Amino acid sequence: KAGVTQTPRYLIKTRGQQVTLSCSPISGHRSVSWYQQTPGQGLQFLFEYFSETQRNKGNFPGRFSGRQFSNSRSEMNVSTLELGDSALYLCASSPRDRVGYTFGSGTRLTVV
Amino acid sequence: GQQLNQSPQSMFIQEGEDVSMNCTSSSIFNTWLWYKQDPGEGPVLLIALYKAGELTSNGRLTAQFGITRKDSFLNISASIPSDVGIYFCLSFGNEKLTFGTGTRLTIIP
Protein backbone atom coordinates (compact mmCIF):
# COMPACT_ATOMS: atom_id res chain seq x y z
CA LYS A 1 0.00 0.00 0.00
CA ALA A 2 1.12 3.57 -0.61
CA GLY A 3 3.16 5.20 2.12
CA VAL A 4 2.88 8.67 3.58
CA THR A 5 3.14 11.21 0.77
CA GLN A 6 4.47 14.69 1.35
CA THR A 7 4.44 17.44 -1.24
CA PRO A 8 6.40 19.24 -2.39
CA ARG A 9 9.75 17.50 -1.74
CA TYR A 10 11.74 20.71 -2.03
CA LEU A 11 10.78 24.33 -1.63
CA ILE A 12 12.66 27.62 -1.67
CA LYS A 13 10.97 30.69 -0.22
CA THR A 14 12.08 34.17 0.73
CA ARG A 15 11.83 35.72 4.15
CA GLY A 16 8.40 37.10 4.95
CA GLN A 17 6.56 34.77 2.61
CA GLN A 18 4.22 32.08 3.74
CA VAL A 19 4.21 28.40 2.79
CA THR A 20 1.80 25.47 2.87
CA LEU A 21 3.00 21.89 3.02
CA SER A 22 0.82 18.88 2.36
CA CYS A 23 0.72 15.38 3.81
CA SER A 24 -1.38 12.46 2.64
CA PRO A 25 -1.40 9.67 5.24
CA ILE A 26 -1.56 5.97 4.61
CA SER A 27 -5.11 4.98 3.72
CA GLY A 28 -7.05 4.26 6.91
CA HIS A 29 -4.66 6.18 9.18
CA ARG A 30 -6.49 8.88 11.14
CA SER A 31 -3.64 10.31 13.18
CA VAL A 32 -1.23 12.72 11.49
CA SER A 33 1.62 14.55 13.16
CA TRP A 34 4.20 17.07 11.96
CA TYR A 35 7.86 17.54 12.90
CA GLN A 36 10.65 19.96 12.15
CA GLN A 37 14.14 18.57 11.79
CA THR A 38 17.25 20.76 11.78
CA PRO A 39 20.91 19.84 12.28
CA GLY A 40 21.10 21.93 15.42
CA GLN A 41 17.81 21.05 17.13
CA GLY A 42 17.17 17.54 15.85
CA LEU A 43 13.57 16.37 15.59
CA GLN A 44 11.04 18.74 17.14
CA PHE A 45 7.34 17.96 17.44
CA LEU A 46 5.03 20.56 15.87
CA PHE A 47 1.49 19.25 16.22
CA GLU A 48 -0.70 16.19 16.02
CA TYR A 49 -4.16 15.75 14.53
CA PHE A 50 -6.69 13.02 14.99
CA SER A 51 -10.04 13.02 13.21
CA GLU A 52 -9.66 16.69 12.18
CA THR A 53 -8.91 17.85 15.74
CA GLN A 54 -5.58 19.11 16.95
CA ARG A 55 -4.77 16.86 19.86
CA ASN A 56 -1.29 18.00 20.82
CA LYS A 57 0.96 20.94 20.06
CA GLY A 58 4.67 21.50 20.45
CA ASN A 59 6.47 24.68 21.51
CA PHE A 60 6.42 26.60 18.25
CA PRO A 61 5.22 30.16 17.63
CA GLY A 62 1.77 30.88 16.26
CA ARG A 63 3.26 31.37 12.78
CA PHE A 64 3.12 27.59 12.55
CA SER A 65 -0.36 26.21 12.07
CA GLY A 66 -1.98 23.14 10.65
CA ARG A 67 -5.22 21.43 9.90
CA GLN A 68 -6.58 18.04 9.00
CA PHE A 69 -9.35 17.36 6.52
CA SER A 70 -12.13 14.80 6.69
CA ASN A 71 -10.14 12.43 4.46
CA SER A 72 -7.28 12.63 7.03
CA ARG A 73 -5.02 14.60 4.68
CA SER A 74 -3.22 17.33 6.53
CA GLU A 75 -1.64 20.66 5.70
CA MET A 76 0.87 22.70 7.59
CA ASN A 77 1.25 26.45 7.12
CA VAL A 78 4.09 28.72 8.13
CA SER A 79 3.51 32.45 7.81
CA THR A 80 6.08 35.27 7.77
CA LEU A 81 8.95 32.91 7.09
CA GLU A 82 12.25 33.44 8.86
CA LEU A 83 15.69 32.13 7.89
CA GLY A 84 15.59 29.82 10.91
CA ASP A 85 12.55 28.05 9.50
CA SER A 86 14.79 26.33 6.97
CA ALA A 87 14.46 22.65 7.82
CA LEU A 88 13.21 19.25 6.80
CA TYR A 89 9.52 19.05 7.69
CA LEU A 90 8.32 15.54 8.31
CA CYS A 91 4.81 14.22 8.55
CA ALA A 92 3.86 10.87 10.08
CA SER A 93 0.62 8.92 10.18
CA SER A 94 -0.64 6.24 12.50
CA PRO A 95 -3.62 3.86 12.28
CA ARG A 96 -4.86 4.62 15.77
CA ASP A 97 -3.67 6.16 18.96
CA ARG A 98 0.08 6.52 18.59
CA VAL A 99 0.74 3.04 17.33
CA GLY A 100 3.77 2.80 15.08
CA TYR A 101 4.08 6.10 13.25
CA THR A 102 5.02 5.89 9.56
CA PHE A 103 6.95 8.89 8.30
CA GLY A 104 6.91 10.49 4.90
CA SER A 105 10.12 11.49 3.08
CA GLY A 106 9.68 15.08 4.15
CA THR A 107 9.63 18.51 2.56
CA ARG A 108 12.96 20.31 2.51
CA LEU A 109 12.21 24.01 3.01
CA THR A 110 14.91 26.56 2.40
CA VAL A 111 14.25 30.18 3.34
CA VAL A 112 16.55 32.74 1.70
CA GLY B 1 10.06 20.10 23.09
CA GLN B 2 11.71 17.77 25.54
CA GLN B 3 14.22 15.24 24.24
CA LEU B 4 15.31 11.86 25.49
CA ASN B 5 18.94 11.25 26.39
CA GLN B 6 20.25 9.03 23.64
CA SER B 7 23.75 7.64 23.63
CA PRO B 8 26.15 7.45 22.13
CA GLN B 9 25.79 10.48 19.85
CA SER B 10 27.93 8.84 17.21
CA MET B 11 29.62 5.53 16.60
CA PHE B 12 32.43 4.54 14.27
CA ILE B 13 32.65 0.80 13.87
CA GLN B 14 33.97 -1.79 11.47
CA GLU B 15 31.73 -3.97 9.39
CA GLY B 16 30.74 -7.09 11.31
CA GLU B 17 30.85 -5.48 14.73
CA ASP B 18 27.87 -5.38 17.05
CA VAL B 19 26.27 -2.04 17.97
CA SER B 20 24.42 -0.96 21.07
CA MET B 21 22.65 2.32 21.78
CA ASN B 22 20.13 3.42 24.37
CA CYS B 23 17.64 6.07 25.35
CA THR B 24 16.92 7.15 28.90
CA SER B 25 14.44 9.50 30.50
CA SER B 26 13.49 10.82 33.90
CA SER B 27 9.83 10.28 32.98
CA ILE B 28 7.84 7.10 32.55
CA PHE B 29 6.71 6.22 29.04
CA ASN B 30 4.18 3.75 27.68
CA THR B 31 5.70 3.15 24.27
CA TRP B 32 9.17 3.11 22.77
CA LEU B 33 9.74 3.20 19.03
CA TRP B 34 13.10 2.90 17.27
CA TYR B 35 13.64 4.47 13.86
CA LYS B 36 16.45 4.68 11.31
CA GLN B 37 16.87 7.68 9.02
CA ASP B 38 18.90 7.75 5.83
CA PRO B 39 20.13 11.09 4.46
CA GLY B 40 17.36 13.12 2.84
CA GLU B 41 14.67 10.64 3.81
CA GLY B 42 12.14 10.28 6.58
CA PRO B 43 12.72 7.93 9.52
CA VAL B 44 11.70 4.31 9.04
CA LEU B 45 10.27 2.31 11.91
CA LEU B 46 12.52 -0.55 13.00
CA ILE B 47 10.99 -1.87 16.20
CA ALA B 48 8.01 -0.91 18.38
CA LEU B 49 7.79 -1.76 22.09
CA TYR B 50 4.57 -1.44 24.06
CA LYS B 51 5.16 -3.22 27.37
CA ALA B 52 7.73 -2.84 30.12
CA GLY B 53 10.30 -5.62 29.90
CA GLU B 54 9.36 -6.45 26.32
CA LEU B 55 12.23 -7.75 24.19
CA THR B 56 11.64 -7.72 20.45
CA SER B 57 13.80 -8.74 17.50
CA ASN B 58 13.66 -7.77 13.86
CA GLY B 59 16.34 -9.67 11.97
CA ARG B 60 19.71 -8.51 13.28
CA LEU B 61 18.05 -5.85 15.44
CA THR B 62 16.94 -6.38 19.03
CA ALA B 63 15.31 -3.79 21.27
CA GLN B 64 14.08 -3.86 24.84
CA PHE B 65 11.62 -1.73 26.82
CA GLY B 66 13.19 -1.18 30.24
CA ILE B 67 11.47 -2.56 33.32
CA THR B 68 11.36 0.89 34.91
CA ARG B 69 9.67 2.25 31.72
CA LYS B 70 12.29 4.99 31.65
CA ASP B 71 14.69 3.50 29.15
CA SER B 72 15.16 1.36 26.08
CA PHE B 73 18.08 -0.06 24.16
CA LEU B 74 18.65 -1.10 20.56
CA ASN B 75 21.27 -3.63 19.52
CA ILE B 76 22.42 -4.37 15.99
CA SER B 77 24.42 -7.55 15.48
CA ALA B 78 27.01 -8.16 12.76
CA SER B 79 26.73 -4.69 11.22
CA ILE B 80 26.69 -4.29 7.44
CA PRO B 81 27.25 -1.19 5.27
CA SER B 82 23.53 -0.46 4.86
CA ASP B 83 23.22 -0.02 8.64
CA VAL B 84 24.83 3.40 8.24
CA GLY B 85 22.47 6.21 9.20
CA ILE B 86 20.95 8.00 12.16
CA TYR B 87 18.96 6.03 14.71
CA PHE B 88 16.27 7.68 16.82
CA CYS B 89 14.16 6.58 19.71
CA LEU B 90 10.69 8.05 20.01
CA SER B 91 8.45 7.64 22.99
CA PHE B 92 5.22 8.88 24.48
CA GLY B 93 3.33 8.76 27.70
CA ASN B 94 0.85 11.08 29.39
CA GLU B 95 0.06 12.78 26.06
CA LYS B 96 3.72 13.73 25.67
CA LEU B 97 5.70 12.87 22.54
CA THR B 98 9.45 12.87 23.00
CA PHE B 99 12.45 12.13 20.78
CA GLY B 100 15.95 10.92 21.32
CA THR B 101 18.76 13.14 20.09
CA GLY B 102 19.88 10.49 17.63
CA THR B 103 22.86 8.18 17.22
CA ARG B 104 24.86 8.53 13.99
CA LEU B 105 26.32 5.20 12.93
CA THR B 106 29.31 5.17 10.58
CA ILE B 107 31.00 2.04 9.32
CA ILE B 108 34.72 2.33 8.74
CA PRO B 109 35.97 0.41 5.70
Side-chain angles (χ1 to χ4, degrees):
Chain A
K1 61 183 176 186
V4 178
T5 304
Q6 289 189 249
T7 56
R9 276 302 302 268
Y10 303 94
L11 204 50
I12 300 176
K13 291 284 190 177
T14 56
R15 275 182 301 177
Q17 284 188 308
Q18 67 118 21
V19 67
T20 299
L21 312 181
S22 179
C23 172
S24 293
I26 290 174
S27 178
H29 285 199
R30 294 166 63 191
S31 172
V32 175
S33 50
W34 288 89
Y35 308 83
Q36 182 196 65
Q37 187 177 35
T38 59
Q41 299 295 319
L43 267 169
Q44 300 284 328
F45 169 70
L46 280 156
F47 22 67
E48 179 185 17
Y49 289 88
F50 185 81
S51 295
E52 301 179 67
T53 301
Q54 187 180 88
R55 193 161 59 170
N56 220 341
K57 191 176 189 304
N59 296 324
F60 277 81
R63 299 184 298 108
F64 292 82
S65 63
R67 58 177 175 169
Q68 186 180 32
F69 301 96
S70 59
N71 61 359
S72 293
R73 190 177 72 84
S74 178
E75 286 182 348
M76 191 192 98
N77 185 276
V78 188
S79 62
T80 320
L81 284 165
E82 301 176 359
L83 294 179
D85 297 333
S86 294
L88 179 67
Y89 289 88
L90 292 162
C91 153
S93 75
S94 172
R96 62 182 188 275
D97 277 5
R98 287 111 182 213
V99 173
Y101 288 103
T102 301
F103 284 83
S105 297
T107 294
R108 171 76 61 187
L109 171 66
T110 302
V111 182
V112 297
Chain B
Q2 182 182 338
Q3 289 186 312
L4 299 163
N5 296 317
Q6 186 171 347
S7 64
Q9 276 192 322
S10 58
M11 302 183 74
F12 296 85
I13 63 168
Q14 291 189 316
E15 185 177 348
E17 284 187 40
D18 295 343
V19 171
S20 185
M21 62 191 77
N22 70 85
C23 280
T24 61
S25 170
S26 56
S27 303
I28 290 175
F29 289 102
N30 300 322
T31 302
W32 287 92
L33 307 173
W34 283 94
Y35 287 84
K36 176 177 181 272
Q37 186 174 24
D38 292 325
E41 296 296 326
V44 174
L45 181 64
L46 300 174
I47 292 181
L49 303 161
Y50 301 111
K51 198 166 60 173
E54 183 179 355
L55 181 72
T56 298
S57 292
N58 178 9
R60 294 178 297 107
L61 278 60
T62 302
Q64 185 160 28
F65 192 149
I67 282 290
T68 64
R69 294 166 63 193
K70 293 182 179 180
D71 62 348
S72 176
F73 72 74
L74 173 71
N75 288 342
I76 305 172
S77 62
S79 58
I80 60 177
S82 61
D83 291 335
V84 165
I86 301 177
Y87 292 79
F88 291 99
C89 59
L90 186 158
S91 191
F92 44 79
N94 293 327
E95 300 295 316
K96 196 164 57 169
L97 190 64
T98 316
F99 298 96
T101 46
T103 295
R104 182 181 295 275
L105 180 62
T106 303
I107 293 184
I108 306 167

